[in-house]
Amino acid sequence: MSVADRAARNRLALGVFAALVVVLGILTAALDLPLVELFTVGTFERALQAATPIALAAIGGLYAEKSGVFNIGLEGFMIFGALTAAAAAWFPSEGAAVTQAHLWFGIVAATVVCTLLTAIFAVLTIRYEADQIVAGLAVWFIGLGFGPFTATVVWGGVSSPSLPNIDDLAVPVLADIPVVGRLLFDASPLVLFTVVLAVVAWVVLYRTRYGYWVQAAGENPEALDTAGVDVNRVRYAAVLLSGALVGLAGGVLSVGIGSGFTGTGVTMVDGRGWIAIVAYLFGNYNPLGAFGASLLFGAMDMLQVQFQTIGISLPGSIVGLFPYVAVLVVLALVGYTRTPSAVGEPYDTEE
Amino acid sequence: MLRATVLERFAIAVAATAMALALGAVIVAASGYDAVEFVSSLVYGAFGSRANVAFTLRQSTMLILAGVAVAVAFRSGVFNIGVQGQFVVGGFATAVTILFLAPVLPTGAVGGALLVVLGVVAAMVAGGAYAALPGLMKAYADANEVITTIMLNFIASGVVFFVVDRYLRPAGASAPNTEQFPDYVQFPSLVFDSASFSVIGLGVALATVVVVYVVMARTRFGYDLVTSGHQEPAAAYSGVDPKQTVVATMTFSGMVAGLTGAVFAIMILGYYSDPSTFPRFGFDAIAVSLLAANNPLGVVPAGLLFGGLDAGGQYIGFTLDVPPELVDGVVGLVVLFVATPELFRMAGKRTGLGGDDR
């Protein structure tokens, strides 16, 4: 796509966005909707919480794809993460008294187990050159099958019993800062962690030698190889990182902010892994951009609550579809995001 | 995956299925169940009685149809993961057509046949249109079709549920179901005495396979689709517009998916319901198509295999306390192994069982 095309697309995207804002404005004025009341600290608090699992998975997936491996199995790994966290938290006491320590153990277990599972995915895609798209889909199907299966083995049903979730952490002094204090320093520690992670991921990717390696492995593996760096080792590291983060994302969903594992339908992950992929595409592979996009989708996810509080009545089953529609709109507008040129291509050293 | 001889593909398909089943049995044993009982029940559930065979054929009919829909797209280099959504939308179009036209058309066999035909046409139009959407987005906005089609699956389920629940549920009914179709709108059961399987359905599936095979292998249109999938520049030089081809591929694939939905609504359900409770034929069909190396003819044996697995799996769910979700997981494993032919080539080399022809 030429530069002129791209500029035209950018203008189109901006135009559509501006038009949407205008239409919303007119609607607000004409129907006298209290849309301004949507923007409260509570709104942002819920959006941030809903965004946390999406952002974690997005940042993980972003590193893998930057390095040249499209980890399209995020959704499946997230199912395993959510399940593992709930099971690991439940097991020590057989559900009798699940404590905060158990929940943290669940979070750690989800991270470790998903890292191990992505290690298998990494070997199949990097060493055995499996088709990344098909293998990623397989991961999803395996998660959809074995997730509820394992839940049935553990709990006798596809969902876990209700579990407590991780307590909010109020950081002394910082929590008293207006707005920001309540959003970040009197919230789940996992939310705070994710915000910090997004910044660290940005710094690592764009300001460190490892970050350059990751980018080179996805853009120009031959050059990286010539420079004496093992391309596949960089890719393994990035895929394992994506596994750790997506496992953590699943854990956040089931015991971090949720209350156990739900295995009915497409499970409690419910497309968040796919939305995470779109989030980093929308953020143009920039960790901070991906975080921003996750926040947007998180807000969409929470619209139902907001609409109820300000008295707009739309059926929940329709409002629940907003994130998916948003994904389509986003893809139609920014679908041209340039993927790293060597994504999907296995790299063989010429020896 | 495309670089393989027919024999190699067949060997990979067999090895992938065998490995997935073996792994499934190991998981059954590791979870504390009886693996031998699991396998023997799987076989009995698939072929053990006349009713079980009918059930296997019923599931196979759906998987063959949906598998062809997937194969059309994959063969042309487009990943249509949205067959499930197009299947839902297609069946919904059938249900709406039949329910709204039944009062104005004659009853009896003639009216029944007319309604079935109109329902099928509606399903193919709706399925094709719903699939054209991601096709257009891929062609003109470069949007990854894997993600758009999956989003459209979620949207199809949500919207169809909403409409059925809100507008088509008969007054006083507690379940989100539409009214029953009139009883003359159905496929007569003929050979098997089953309320939800008819050899006519299987006949429709096999006829679809033949039609799609002929279109793909013997017509200009099919040639263009397949060339675009394998060699986009070559197709472009020979005067094929790649963008239009993507849209045409998706539409063609979606029409077959819509037809699948029509057969599901007419032959199996006889009404319409909440799509989130439907079997995930559209996803299992991806495994079917991959196992068949995306060849429309290969979809028939692959569909029979998965139909048997599915029937066996459901039988297990009824009789043993092994969760039936296990079979879904095994299907996922088959996909994973099929995606990794290199694993089997290397294994073949190591054990000296061929694989040296590359």
Side-chain angles (χ1 to χ4, degrees):
Chain A
M1 189 176 286
S2 75
V3 175
D5 279 352
R6 230 183 250 201
R9 284 289 288 278
N10 278 334
R11 277 197 296 274
L12 177 73
L14 276 178
V16 170
F17 186 72
L20 275 177
V21 172
V22 171
V23 168
L24 265 183
I26 292 173
L27 272 179
T28 315
L31 301 174
D32 197 23
L33 288 177
L35 274 190
V36 182
E37 289 172 31
L38 279 180
F39 299 97
T40 62
V41 179
T43 305
F44 284 109
E45 203 171 11
R46 276 186 288 272
L48 197 57
Q49 204 171 57
T52 299
I54 300 173
L56 286 169
I59 292 169
L62 181 157
Y63 263 73
E65 186 160 347
K66 266 279 181 196
S67 81
V69 180
F70 190 4
N71 185 352
I72 203 171
L74 292 183
E75 176 89 8
F77 289 121
M78 218 161 151
I79 296 176
F80 281 114
L83 174 87
T84 309
W90 185 83
F91 251 121
S93 59
E94 298 271 299
V98 178
T99 64
Q100 288 292 311
H102 292 148
L103 294 175
W104 281 104
F105 173 67
I107 292 277
V108 173
T111 312
V112 172
V113 166
C114 278
T115 309
L116 295 177
L117 290 176
T118 42
I120 302 174
F121 178 79
V123 171
L124 288 179
T125 48
I126 298 172
R127 168 86 171 78
Y128 292 104
E129 306 183 357
D131 185 306
Q132 292 173 2
I133 303 252
V134 178
L137 282 173
V139 171
W140 186 33
F141 296 155
I142 293 170
L144 279 178
F146 285 129
F149 169 78
T150 314
T152 317
V153 171
V154 176
W155 296 295
V158 290
S159 302
S160 77
S162 181
L163 300 175
N165 58 27
I166 287 174
D167 286 340
D168 283 358
L169 172 78
V171 182
V173 185
L174 291 178
D176 296 331
I177 306 172
V179 185
V180 178
R182 189 172 149 200
L183 285 179
L184 292 182
F185 300 109
D186 188 10
S188 170
L190 295 159
V191 171
L192 182 58
F193 172 79
T194 307
V195 175
V196 173
L197 179 90
V199 176
V200 172
W202 184 87
V203 172
V204 169
L205 191 59
Y206 294 115
R207 294 287 181 273
T208 68
R209 186 197 294 256
Y210 173 70
Y212 294 136
W213 287 352
V214 168
Q215 297 192 46
E219 287 295 350
N220 196 342
E222 291 80 11
L224 186 64
D225 197 12
T226 314
V229 179
D230 186 335
V231 172
N232 286 341
R233 266 177 78 177
V234 174
R235 289 184 172 177
Y236 275 119
V239 175
L240 288 181
L241 175 70
S242 79
L245 290 181
V246 76
L248 178 60
V252 168
L253 210 52
S254 70
V255 305
I257 54 179
S259 52
F261 176 77
T262 317
T264 48
V266 283
T267 77
M268 70 187 311
V269 176
D270 200 19
R272 287 185 181 81
W274 300 107
I275 290 176
I277 293 176
V278 179
Y280 72 71
L281 290 180
F282 191 29
N284 203 6
Y285 298 92
N286 179 327
L288 295 176
F291 183 82
S294 305
L295 210 51
L296 176 74
F297 291 128
M300 289 280 178
D301 217 7
M302 290 293 121
L303 269 182
Q304 178 65 22
V305 186
Q306 300 325 128
F307 278 179
Q308 264 169 11
T309 47
I310 62 169
I312 298 176
S313 73
L314 269 175
S317 52
I318 293 299
V319 178
L321 298 178
F322 280 14
Y324 307 127
V325 177
V327 164
L328 290 182
V329 173
V330 166
L331 276 183
L333 294 181
V334 299
Y336 62 87
T337 312
R338 206 181 63 79
T339 49
S341 55
V343 161
E345 287 167 23
Y347 185 73
D348 287 319
T349 353
E350 308 289 339
E351 283 173 317
Chain B
M1 212 178 336
L2 293 164
R3 301 164 297 172
T5 64
V6 172
L7 193 67
E8 247 185 339
R9 281 175 188 168
F10 186 72
I12 287 169
V14 171
T17 317
M19 258 180 84
L21 277 174
L23 210 56
V26 169
I27 291 169
V28 168
S31 328
Y33 298 104
D34 184 344
V36 176
E37 196 187 18
F38 170 76
V39 175
S40 65
S41 301
L42 194 68
V43 174
Y44 181 83
F47 309 110
S49 73
R50 211 176 147 80
N52 292 359
V53 172
F55 195 77
T56 293
L57 289 178
R58 166 188 138 170
Q59 302 302 87
S60 302
T61 300
M62 302 310 297
L63 289 170
I64 290 170
L65 277 170
V68 172
V70 174
V72 165
F74 277 33
R75 207 172 174 71
S76 317
V78 185
F79 284 99
N80 181 7
I81 315 300
V83 168
Q84 183 74 15
Q86 294 137 26
F87 157 84
V88 163
V89 169
F92 177 69
T94 305
V96 170
T97 309
I98 291 177
L99 289 170
F100 279 81
L101 291 183
V104 295
L105 289 175
T107 56
V110 179
L114 198 60
L115 281 172
V116 166
V117 170
L118 289 173
V120 166
V121 171
M124 290 175 73
V125 171
Y130 202 62
L133 217 61
L136 288 167
M137 287 180 67
K138 181 183 170 66
Y140 297 99
D142 230 358
N144 185 322
E145 78 277 20
V146 174
I147 295 161
T148 51
T149 49
I150 288 170
M151 293 299 121
L152 285 166
N153 286 340
F154 286 114
I155 293 170
S157 271
V159 171
V160 169
F161 167 76
F162 172 72
V163 176
V164 168
D165 185 51
R166 180 67 69 95
Y167 301 106
L168 298 175
R169 185 212 311 236
S174 58
N177 296 338
T178 68
E179 269 176 69
Q180 290 278 340
F181 299 161
D183 45 351
Y184 53 86
V185 182
Q186 57 160 323
F187 294 155
S189 144
L190 301 180
V191 182
F192 292 94
D193 187 26
S194 159
S196 64
F197 174 70
S198 157
V199 281
I200 295 177
L202 184 60
V204 169
L206 295 179
T208 308
V209 167
V210 173
V211 169
V212 168
Y213 175 76
V214 170
V215 169
M216 298 294 278
R218 295 275 179 273
T219 65
R220 168 82 213 232
F221 173 69
Y223 180 79
D224 287 350
L225 293 195
V226 177
T227 337
S228 314
H230 289 281
Q231 272 292 337
E232 202 189 299
Y237 288 131
S238 70
V240 180
D241 180 345
K243 291 180 193 278
Q244 282 174 14
T245 313
V246 168
V247 181
T249 302
M250 282 300 284
T251 311
F252 189 28
S253 168
M255 284 167 72
V256 180
L259 172 64
T260 317
V263 173
F264 179 69
I266 297 169
M267 181 177 87
I268 296 183
L269 283 185
Y271 59 91
Y272 218 63
S273 185
D274 173 9
S276 65
T277 63
F278 292 171
R280 294 200 275 258
F281 291 123
F283 294 136
D284 289 353
I286 294 169
V288 170
S289 177
L290 286 174
L291 203 58
N294 302 328
N295 179 327
L297 295 182
V299 162
V300 176
L304 285 170
L305 172 73
F306 277 101
L309 263 181
D310 206 16
Q314 295 205 23
Y315 177 78
I316 286 172
F318 292 136
T319 53
L320 306 184
D321 54 355
V322 179
E325 286 85 8
L326 181 68
V327 175
D328 296 338
V330 170
V331 169
L333 288 174
V334 176
V335 177
L336 187 63
F337 291 134
V338 171
T340 323
E342 210 56 32
L343 191 68
F344 296 103
R345 287 215 187 89
M346 286 190 190
K349 262 184 209 157
R350 292 266 162 79
T351 53
L353 287 171
D356 51 355
D357 50 343
R358 264 183 87 227

